Amino acid sequence: MIICFYPGGGGSRYYNSINNKEYASPNRSYDSSFKILGNQPKFRYLDDSTIYEYGDDTTILTHCLNFEKIKYHFPKKTKFVVLDTEFKSSIRRQWCLEGKILYKKQEKKYSKLDVYNTIKEKSWPNIDNENELKNLPNYILAALDKGIIGDNYYSSSSFDNINSAFSSICYHRNYYNTHPPTMLSSSGIDIIDCRKNNNNSTEFSKVILSELDCYASETFDFAWETFDSLGETAPVLSMWGDFVNQKL
């Protein structure tokens, strides 16, 4: 059997549920709660060209929902289960639980101007060029220096979080555009309906719906809307800085 699910969509919980194991604890990831052959990182996105000769006695967990791609990688598989969850809510849950580290770009550095525009108070002057920073009053320069790490570069949870959220969104939006979730409309697929306002709710689907509703993130939602508006080339860091400053 192959269990297909969006990241954050409860695939490991579903595996536990069909094996009479605990699956309903809130606010946690079950990915590391069991060890089976088919619960491996290499199966999650099926990024390479490997063909696996596993039969239906081996359960595979994957984030791929494209029927043609799955059949290519697992030609002997005949039983498929798809968890039908709302895409954005699933990706947001995955990011909130694990993605802040998973998608954090460790090499990302931010300039002094980035720092200034992030911590800038309303009374501070607008700065368009980094050379203008040296003319700022000493109390502003002192506040600026507190955020500097190394030679003229800065790291902060605010920047890191918006960066990792946007990275997660870009990756998954591009992945599912390249490999559309055709499993949801293919015949012979066991669809587990985990969406709101349906008449087919099971105890499992109710748990998933409740779990997806637990995760809210202004940072993630901002990154999602930015991608919707401008795509993956959007200047999300500067846009986030403007958004934060408007709230001050």
Side-chain angles (χ1 to χ4, degrees):
M1 175 175 64
I2 295 185
I3 301 172
C4 308
F5 60 105
Y6 288 131
S12 298
R13 288 174 182 261
Y14 181 75
Y15 176 85
N16 276 9
S17 73
I18 62 177
N19 285 280
N20 298 314
K21 297 180 180 180
E22 195 279 319
Y23 68 91
S25 295
N27 303 309
R28 62 164 289 189
S29 170
Y30 280 77
D31 276 354
S32 60
S33 65
F34 60 89
K35 293 183 178 181
I36 61 171
L37 177 62
N39 187 31
Q40 300 182 49
K42 66 181 179 181
F43 295 146
R44 288 308 166 98
Y45 296 97
L46 301 175
D47 288 327
D48 61 17
S49 59
T50 304
I51 296 177
Y52 301 99
E53 297 292 337
Y54 301 123
D56 280 337
D57 56 328
T58 300
T59 301
I60 304 294
L61 282 77
T62 181
H63 295 321
C64 180
L65 280 75
N66 183 272
F67 186 79
E68 292 76 14
K69 186 169 178 61
I70 286 179
K71 286 300 291 182
Y72 169 81
H73 287 282
F74 300 99
K76 292 185 177 181
K77 288 292 186 181
T78 60
K79 183 174 176 57
F80 309 97
V81 175
V82 179
L83 305 186
D84 184 9
T85 58
E86 200 271 325
F87 179 49
K88 178 182 176 182
S89 297
S90 301
I91 302 300
R92 179 171 53 211
R93 176 178 179 269
Q94 190 255 10
W95 178 76
C96 288
L97 278 173
E98 302 173 291
K100 293 179 183 180
I101 301 300
L102 185 62
Y103 296 99
K104 180 179 178 181
K105 294 184 178 179
Q106 299 286 354
E107 75 281 3
K108 187 66 181 180
K109 295 181 178 180
Y110 311 104
S111 69
K112 280 188 176 181
L113 190 59
D114 289 329
V115 182
Y116 182 80
N117 286 327
T118 297
I119 68 173
K120 178 179 176 292
E121 297 182 7
K122 289 183 178 179
S123 61
W124 296 6
N126 293 325
I127 300 294
D128 298 319
N129 188 303
E130 195 157 316
N131 291 330
E132 300 176 30
L133 292 173
K134 61 184 178 183
N135 299 320
L136 293 171
N138 288 335
Y139 75 93
I140 295 180
L141 291 175
L144 187 61
D145 285 341
K146 289 181 180 179
I148 301 298
I149 296 176
D151 296 330
N152 303 327
Y153 288 102
Y154 169 80
S155 178
S156 81
S157 59
S158 177
F159 276 156
D160 286 341
N161 284 349
I162 190 65
N163 185 47
S164 66
F166 195 67
S167 296
S168 170
I169 291 163
C170 288
Y171 177 82
H172 290 110
R173 296 282 286 268
N174 288 331
Y175 180 84
Y176 290 108
N177 281 335
T178 303
H179 307 292
T182 55
M183 300 287 285
L184 290 167
S185 57
S186 299
S187 60
I189 308 296
D190 188 4
I191 305 293
I192 308 300
D193 190 346
C194 299
R195 290 179 176 268
K196 294 180 179 179
N197 302 319
N198 66 78
N199 297 319
N200 301 313
S201 294
T202 63
E203 288 304 313
F204 174 79
S205 64
K206 290 176 182 177
V207 168
I208 297 301
L209 282 169
S210 175
E211 182 68 9
L212 291 176
D213 283 343
C214 287
Y215 296 88
S217 169
E218 183 179 54
T219 302
F220 184 92
D221 290 347
F222 180 89
W224 188 277
E225 292 166 7
T226 300
F227 186 96
D228 279 344
S229 299
L230 299 173
E232 62 183 314
T233 60
V236 67
L237 292 178
S238 60
M239 292 175 68
W240 177 248
D242 292 342
F243 175 74
V244 171
N245 289 331
Q246 288 173 6
K247 295 176 61 180
L248 296 176

